[in-house]
């Protein structure tokens, strides 16, 4: 029974906390967007909008629920449930630090990829059940986009598996510890392909064609209202965290601290110098909260801000206390901190891209995957394989064996983009193209 | 069933129960829907709806689906190969180059046929 304790505890905590975390990611996204556009974003509900996600959740619970008469009621009801369940189950093989994991499967990565792809059933069924043109078009686009980028993402994962030699998420992190380097430095192209593919798979801007509001209203979610819509939204953000977790584990060393090989201690103790960084970062955050608290306009807002500061102090205390616990406790707590910090950084990049790049056209999106990322992924896999043969057979230095193959891959990418991609065609090109496809549409 | 899948089973039950329970709970919290008439029709930007949505669709979607099967099966073949590559060395590289070479011929053929262009 004791072996089941931690996994079941993790399961309950994930199911209970994930909706809250997704809500706060939405808040952070709105704040980041606002500041990038020189606005303030949510400021009213709680200090700096800190209570906005809770207010939103309550509001969505109380919203009227409309189901179109032509809709297929049973599938309409089932589709968002399938989306959320698939997105949540994908967490079961994700190692949040060495201690917190629901199940350490020997096929962990394959399991995550397989289960998170099941979420598309929720999208397609929802779009079909709505019996609306916009919904079905959004669902079809979403399916086409997901399957196209699934291949590219798979090829990016293979390049990491070549180096790690295991599908278990824990062993992939262990391999990065043993080889002394995060795999993003060994296979930069694998990371690049996975980054682009993961944005496309989670339907986020600039690849948010399935829910492009200027074209097809809200895509597969058009007919959904109230809490059903909230479930789709939750599934979307849960999927973002899943791909961020996979990228963190595969390319950024999972729960490993940066500079893992630097082991200097404080004199006379077992505490490593760099291990105090998380605790101090939390204290800095707490001080920032305490500084903001008296400036809030209302007494309630002052108190909420101070409570946020106290929570940061509490986290700092836990991180600090863990330093003096046994090795397992220290690695468990600090591993979870570093894992979540890296996932947060990856999600921040997602937001950054969303507010930086304009949306792609659908044909550009398909061309990017089939004519650029997939051939590039294949060449990248072959390049990494050649580098490993050089290393094993002729004893090349692991890092320098990858330099020539990476340069070849870069050259291939340049050749692909030079005359094949045409993502940024001039107006005359586009006019000629559409004239060729649709005779009589020109002047 | 291996013991490590039991927590996953528990988690899957929890994960499926969460949306079902909240949907049922929301039903008792929210006001009764009094929607009538056009509010219950599918949304088409305010215009009267044009027939059923389940009509004919671009064949492009079907071509993408078929291409996906081909290329995803190939990726799945690469997974076990990548895991054992460390032990196989040069032999593993040669055999996989032959496999990818055959696939490359198919890819070039598809490319020249225009199957990879959306338009």
């Amino acid at each position: 029974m004791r072996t089941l304790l931690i996994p079941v505890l993790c399961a309950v905590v994930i199911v209970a906390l994930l909706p809250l975390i997704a809500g706060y990611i939405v808040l952070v996204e709105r704040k980041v967007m606002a500041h990038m556009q020189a606005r303030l974003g949510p400021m009213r509900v709680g200090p700096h909008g800190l209570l906005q996600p809770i207010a939103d959740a309550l509001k969505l619970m109380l919203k009227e629920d409309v189901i179109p008469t032509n809709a297929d009621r049973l599938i309409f009801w089932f589709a968002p449930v399938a989306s959320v369940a698939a997105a949540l189950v994908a967490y079961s093989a994700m190692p949040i630090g060495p201690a917190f994991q629901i199940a350490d499967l020997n096929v962990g990565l394959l399991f995550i990829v397989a289960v998170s792809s099941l979420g598309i059933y929720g999208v397609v069924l929802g779009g079909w059940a709505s019996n609306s043109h916009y919904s079905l078009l959004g669902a079809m686009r979403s399916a086409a986009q997901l399957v196209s980028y699934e291949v590219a993402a798979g090829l990016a994962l293979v390049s990491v598996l070549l180096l790690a030699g295991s599908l278990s998420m824990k062993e992939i992190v262990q391999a990065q510890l043993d080889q002394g380097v995060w795999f993003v430095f060994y296979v930069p192209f694998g990371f690049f392909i996975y980054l682009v593919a993961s944005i496309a798979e989670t339907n986020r801007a600039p690849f948010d064609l399935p829910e492009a509001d200027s074209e097809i209203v809200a895509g597969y979610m058009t007919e959904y209202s109230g809490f059903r819509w909230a479930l789709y939204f939750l599934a979307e953000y849960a999927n973002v965290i899943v791909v961020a977790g996979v990228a963190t584990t595969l390319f950024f060393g999972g729960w490993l601290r940066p500079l893992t090989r630097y082991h200097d201690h404080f004199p006379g103790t077992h505490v490593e110098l760099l291990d105090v960084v998380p605790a101090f970062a939390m204290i800095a955050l707490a001080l920032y909260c305490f500084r903001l608290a008296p400036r809030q306009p209302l007494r309630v807002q002052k108190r909420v801000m101070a409570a946020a500061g106290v929570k940061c102090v509490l986290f700092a205390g836990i991180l600090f206390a863990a330093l003096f616990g046994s090795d397992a406790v220290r690695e468990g707590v600090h591993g979870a901190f570093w894992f979540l910090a890296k996932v947060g950084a990856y999600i921040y990049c997602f937001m950054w891209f969303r507010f930086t790049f304009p949306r792609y056209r659908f044909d550009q999106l398909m061309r990017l995957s089939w004519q650029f990322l997939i051939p590039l992924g294949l060449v990248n896999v072959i390049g990494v394989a050649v580098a490993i043969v050089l290393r094993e057979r002729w004893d090349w230095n692991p890092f320098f064996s990858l330099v020539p193959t990476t340069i070849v891959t870069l050259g291939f990418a340049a050749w692909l983009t030079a005359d094949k991609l045409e993502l940024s065609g001039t107006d005359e090109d586009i006019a000629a193209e559409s004239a060729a496809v649709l005779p009589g549409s020109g002047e | 069933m291996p013991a490590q899948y039991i927590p996953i089973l528990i988690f899957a039950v929890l994960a499926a129960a969460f949306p079902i329970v909240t949907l049922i709970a929301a039903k008792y919290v929210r006001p009764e829907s009094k929607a009538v008439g056009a509010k219950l029709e599918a949304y088409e930007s305010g215009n009267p709806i044009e027939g059923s949505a389940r009509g004919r669709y671009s064949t492009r979607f079907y071509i993408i689906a078929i291409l996906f099967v081909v290329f995803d099966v190939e990726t799945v073949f690469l997974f076990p190969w990548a895991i054992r590559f460390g032990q196989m060395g040069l032999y593993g590289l040669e055999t996989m180059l032959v496999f990818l070479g055959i696939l490359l011929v198919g890819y070039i053929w598809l490319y020249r046929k225009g199957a990879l262009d959306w338009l």
Side-chain angles (χ1 to χ4, degrees), chain A residues 158-318:
Chain A
V158 166
S159 66
V160 170
L161 295 179
L162 279 167
L163 292 164
S166 172
L167 278 165
S168 150
M169 299 295 265
K170 276 193 174 170
E171 280 174 33
I172 292 172
V173 176
Q174 190 61 39
Q176 296 179 71
L177 183 63
D178 295 341
Q179 299 180 23
V181 64
W182 294 353
F183 285 150
V184 63
F185 298 115
Y186 272 172
V187 280
F189 279 100
F191 173 65
F192 168 73
I193 294 167
Y194 189 76
L195 179 66
V196 177
S198 61
I199 297 173
E201 276 187 37
T202 48
N203 295 337
R204 287 185 57 89
F207 305 124
D208 58 346
L209 274 297
E211 42 202 271
D213 25 17
S214 56
E215 299 169 21
I216 48 173
V217 190
Y220 57 89
M221 295 193 272
T222 305
E223 301 300 337
Y224 280 85
S225 56
F227 207 73
R228 297 171 205 281
W229 177 84
L231 285 180
Y232 266 132
F233 224 65
L234 171 64
E236 188 176 320
Y237 278 89
N239 276 324
V240 168
I241 306 176
V242 169
V243 294
V246 170
T248 300
T249 309
L250 263 61
F251 296 101
F252 292 102
W255 66 78
L256 301 177
R257 188 188 68 198
L259 304 173
T260 21
R261 278 191 283 187
Y262 183 75
H263 281 306
D264 281 6
H265 291 102
F266 278 110
T269 58
H270 292 290
V271 181
E272 291 184 21
L273 283 175
L274 283 173
D275 274 346
V276 298
V277 172
F280 279 115
M282 277 295 162
I283 287 175
L285 200 60
L287 288 177
Y288 182 64
C289 288
F290 289 136
R291 190 168 148 264
L292 283 178
R295 298 185 189 174
Q296 301 306 316
L298 298 176
R299 198 205 264 167
V300 184
Q301 299 201 328
K302 286 188 174 88
R303 284 186 183 163
V304 173
M305 205 62 181
V310 170
K311 196 198 71 187
C312 291
V313 172
L314 203 69
F315 280 152
I318 293 171

Side-chain angles (χ1 to χ4, degrees), chain A residues 385-437:
Chain A
V386 168
I388 289 176
V389 169
L390 288 177
R391 187 173 83 190
E392 303 278 318
R393 220 176 150 83
W394 286 285
D395 284 332
W396 283 39
N397 175 305
F399 192 73
F400 287 111
S401 63
L402 279 151
V403 170
T405 56
T406 304
I407 290 172
V408 169
T409 315
L410 185 65
F412 185 71
W415 179 74
L416 278 177
T417 41
D419 57 304
K420 301 285 188 298
L421 201 54
E422 294 167 20
L423 276 179
S424 54
T426 58
D427 289 350
E428 291 88 56
D429 288 348
I430 294 167
E433 221 172 72
S434 50
V437 179

Side-chain angles (χ1 to χ4, degrees), chain B:
Chain B
M1 192 170 68
Q4 54 190 354
Y5 285 88
I6 293 172
I8 293 189
L9 199 69
I10 298 171
F11 184 52
V13 171
L14 276 177
F18 165 72
I20 293 173
V21 169
T22 42
L23 269 181
I24 292 170
K27 196 174 181 173
Y28 291 103
V29 189
R30 70 181 170 227
E32 194 76 11
S33 170
K34 293 192 184 110
V36 284
K39 194 170 179 181
L40 288 170
E41 284 174 10
Y43 180 75
E44 277 185 25
S45 311
N47 300 322
I49 44 175
E50 282 281 333
S52 168
R54 292 161 194 167
R56 294 191 289 182
Y57 266 82
S58 170
T59 50
R60 282 284 155 208
F61 289 110
Y62 299 94
I63 293 176
I64 291 290
I66 293 166
L67 288 180
F68 165 70
V69 173
V70 175
F71 282 93
D72 205 48
V73 166
E74 168 230 341
T75 318
V76 170
F77 275 136
L78 285 177
F79 270 69
W81 167 77
I83 301 297
R84 285 279 164 259
F85 186 71
Q87 286 97 307
M88 289 190 297
L90 202 54
Y91 169 74
L93 185 62
E94 287 160 358
T95 44
M96 194 39 79
L97 279 179
V98 172
F99 175 66
L100 291 182
I102 296 169
L103 203 84
L104 186 70
V105 175
Y107 181 86
I108 293 171
W109 183 76
L110 280 173
Y111 185 87
R112 300 186 61 156
K113 275 278 176 187
L116 303 176
D117 281 314
W118 186 260
L119 281 176

